[in-house]
Amino acid sequence: MNIRVFRTPSDAGIYAASMLERVITSSERPVIGLATGETVIPVYDALVNFVRCGLNVSHVTTINLDEYVGLAPDHPQSYHQFMNQYLFSRIGVRMQSTHLPNGVAPDLVAECERYNEVIRNHPIDMQVLGIGVNGHIGFNEPAHTLITGTHVVNLTPETIAMNARFFSRKDDVPRQAITMGIQSILQAKQIMLLAFGEHKADIIYRALKDGIRTDVPASILQLHKDVTVILDRQSAARLGL
């Protein structure tokens, strides 16, 4: 596991985008696993700048980690809209080459199977991950057991509270999500885990230094052979680096 600590999230985002560029330019059909949330915005901003400077992404396939249950793709707080706002619309990616779960599918079990098939057909070269303050990756929440494939998850009260700032009312925050499973994440050839801010320092320490445990799902990344952890100084504060 490689750990890189940067002065600012912007500096870290440039480094992360350069890692994505290496994957994109070294494969005829690269597949990138994408995440959403404030943490990845600096990465997408930097990647957009790379595209404006000549990086070709027309041959890239993307697969997102998750989507809220009950939010249509055109809902302002859906992850479809997040990706369109912060990345897809800014780089001219072919929308048929982007994949996200359908949070309003009439049969959620069938939708999970469909998404598992998408992942099987497009092995992920590089998976981008953030980490929740409770240690979730994707929406794989702390639990006694971790589910391998795509599944519907009940979001924890902690996650719901953290997400409430994006909604006008707490009651509007979705209580469930469709998420890529732990096994699908671990099958990516390379993984980058990003965390910024003092509020992530404790969970980063627990995920990287406190053993592998299901109540800190991100700790499972210790088993992967090629993980780069990208931090700012605040999130790395407890690591003693």
Side-chain angles (χ1 to χ4, degrees), residues 149-196:
T150 305
H151 59 284
V152 175
V153 61
N154 295 320
L155 303 179
T156 65
E158 191 170 22
T159 297
I160 292 169
M162 287 294 293
N163 291 342
R165 66 190 188 277
F166 302 115
F167 294 82
S168 57
R169 299 185 311 145
K170 187 175 180 179
D171 289 346
D172 294 335
V173 183
R175 268 48 181 176
Q176 292 184 310
I178 300 174
T179 186
M180 187 185 297
I182 288 292
Q183 183 180 49
S184 299
I185 292 171
L186 291 178
Q187 285 177 337
K189 296 173 187 174
Q190 300 177 67
I191 294 173
M192 68 167 73
L193 175 70
L194 301 110
F196 305 133

Side-chain angles (χ1 to χ4, degrees), residues 212-226:
I212 298 170
R213 39 195 295 176
T214 61
D215 62 343
V216 183
S219 65
I220 200 76
L221 299 178
Q222 296 177 46
L223 297 175
H224 196 278
K225 65 181 181 179
D226 193 347

Side-chain angles (χ1 to χ4, degrees), residues 15-32:
Y15 179 80
S18 72
M19 291 183 63
L20 292 176
E21 180 181 33
R22 287 196 295 272
V23 173
I24 291 168
T25 57
S26 63
S27 174
E28 291 185 7
R29 287 186 288 272
V31 180
I32 306 296

Side-chain angles (χ1 to χ4, degrees), residues 7 13 32 42 50 58 62 108 114 120 126 132 142 151 157 161-162 175 188 192 194 207 218 232 234:
R7 184 175 59 88
I32 306 296
F50 288 3
S58 63
T62 67
L108 293 178
R114 181 196 71 82
R120 281 192 291 267
M126 170 71 80
H151 59 284
M162 287 294 293
R175 268 48 181 176
M192 68 167 73
L194 301 110
D232 64 357
Q234 288 73 30

Side-chain angles (χ1 to χ4, degrees), residues 113-139:
E113 283 305 310
R114 181 196 71 82
Y115 211 64
N116 283 332
E117 187 67 15
V118 169
I119 297 167
R120 281 192 291 267
N121 291 336
H122 302 87
I124 296 171
D125 295 299
M126 170 71 80
Q127 177 66 58
V128 179
L129 297 174
I131 181 172
V133 293
N134 64 358
H136 71 218
I137 47 177
F139 272 129

Side-chain angles (χ1 to χ4, degrees), residues 193-240:
L193 175 70
L194 301 110
F196 305 133
E198 183 180 4
H199 65 295
K200 295 290 180 73
D202 181 64
I203 197 60
I204 282 293
Y205 176 83
R206 294 174 64 199
L208 304 186
K209 302 293 186 180
D210 199 23
I212 298 170
R213 39 195 295 176
T214 61
D215 62 343
V216 183
S219 65
I220 200 76
L221 299 178
Q222 296 177 46
L223 297 175
H224 196 278
K225 65 181 181 179
D226 193 347
V227 177
T228 300
V229 182
I230 301 174
L231 310 171
D232 64 357
R233 292 174 180 172
Q234 288 73 30
S235 60
R238 290 199 59 196
L239 297 181

